[in-house]
Amino acid sequence: MLTGHIGRACRSAGRMVLDAVLPPLCLRCAEIVESPGTLCAACWQGFSFIAPPYCARCADPFPTDPGAGALCAGCLARPPRYRRARAALIYDQESRRLVLPFKHGDRTDMARACGSWMARAGAELLAEADIVAPVPLHWRRLLARRYNQAQLLARAAVGHAEDRARLSLAPDLLRRRRWTGSQSGLRAEERRGNVRAAFDIRPRWAAEIVGKAVVLVDDVLTTGATVEACARVLQRGGVRHVDVLTLARVVRPAL
Ligand SMILES: [Zn+2]
Ligand SMILES: [Zn+2]
């Protein structure tokens, strides 16, 4: 354990030295950029940042503006359990090359920039929130990955929020008590079944969250099954409402 800590400390010290000597590189493609933690112009242009007009509920982009408060077909057919969801980027081939190394490849240095985009996309949500909490990993996955990417994003988004002094960051609000395996390859209905009853609220937060507005943070919103399972638990626990903020989202998920 000690060796692990020392090893990590040496690596991060080494990194600081390297950062001072080497030019900063684009987060996504490793092209030289002006300042650390940014993208080069080509990567920036390749990204599809989500902006209005979009569904008032889930922020699925609309091709034309149908007017304030309009909902997408998906939210009309099956209203989600959360109040609103916002995401910084459309999850496509371009953003996947940012999200996957961040999630599986130890590229935790990306969190700061991602958090700033999320704080912008979710400004409205964060302005009304009391508590910001990540979707938790099961302890077995956390052990293997060593970090919860959603927790890093939650911290970074709070760090960039306008009114951050008012927000409580609650990394341990929820617990994933059941091993659910991977959600990829499952259809929406299967995903919902897979995460049903997978989460609970840690006892120390039970009284704290009553009547509060919670923003749940995750890396990618796909069908919404995971965040809806979390939202359900929080609503039963007495929160006022749950909003969802993610780095990226799949556009028009299959229902
Ligand atoms: Zn680049
Ligand atoms: Zn919608």
Side-chain angles (χ1 to χ4, degrees):
M1 201 62 188
L2 191 64
T3 343
H5 279 303
I6 293 170
R8 224 167 296 155
C10 290
R11 271 201 301 281
S12 78
R15 176 121 202 190
M16 277 160 69
V17 172
L18 281 178
D19 284 350
V21 183
L22 297 173
L25 304 178
C26 169
L27 286 175
R28 184 177 160 277
C29 75
E31 188 73 26
I32 294 173
V33 288
E34 269 179 30
S35 47
T38 54
L39 296 166
C40 72
C43 287
W44 187 261
Q45 279 164 15
F47 275 177
S48 303
F49 285 93
I50 297 175
Y54 50 50
C55 168
R57 195 85 186 254
C58 75
D60 194 4
F62 288 139
T64 54
D65 191 354
L71 300 181
C72 71
C75 287
L76 284 172
R78 189 188 158 278
R81 283 193 170 270
Y82 51 79
R83 187 175 63 149
R84 292 169 301 185
R86 297 291 181 264
L89 292 163
I90 289 177
Y91 192 56
D92 55 14
Q93 271 193 326
E94 298 300 315
S95 60
R96 213 186 322 261
R97 283 178 57 188
L98 183 84
V99 172
L100 294 182
F102 173 57
K103 190 167 175 165
H104 302 291
D106 272 343
R107 289 292 312 273
T108 51
D109 56 310
M110 293 175 172
R112 210 169 165 272
C114 297
S116 75
W117 307 331
M118 289 167 71
R120 206 176 318 143
E124 210 186 342
L125 278 50
L126 293 168
E128 295 171 20
D130 302 302
I131 296 172
V132 179
V135 168
L137 291 181
H138 189 267
W139 65 266
R140 268 164 60 189
R141 181 155 289 160
L142 187 62
L143 210 61
R145 199 179 288 172
R146 301 199 307 277
Y147 60 95
N148 175 2
Q149 73 282 1
Q151 184 176 328
L152 299 183
L153 291 174
R155 172 165 293 125
V158 167
H160 285 94
E162 283 275 301
D163 204 3
R164 57 183 167 273
R166 202 180 41 77
L167 292 170
S168 298
L169 181 67
D172 60 342
L173 171 56
L174 290 167
R175 174 172 55 177
R176 195 185 282 252
R177 59 180 184 177
R178 207 159 59 76
W179 175 255
T180 50
S182 171
Q183 292 275 83
S184 50
L186 299 181
R187 286 179 306 124
E189 199 45 54
E190 293 167 334
R191 283 177 181 233
R192 278 196 280 276
N194 194 33
V195 290
R196 196 163 290 143
F199 301 94
D200 65 5
I201 296 165
R202 279 190 204 273
R204 77 180 199 87
W205 283 99
E208 196 87 19
I209 60 166
V210 176
K212 299 285 171 59
V214 176
V215 170
L216 260 177
V217 173
D218 207 357
D219 49 4
V220 182
L221 185 77
T222 310
T223 63
T226 303
V227 289
E228 287 199 63
C230 294
R232 181 196 203 109
V233 164
L234 290 169
Q235 281 155 355
R236 284 186 179 162
V239 304
R240 193 161 83 248
H241 50 70
V242 180
D243 287 326
V244 174
L245 180 57
T246 59
L247 172 58
R249 65 157 289 162
V250 173
V251 166
R252 282 179 234 294
L255 291 171

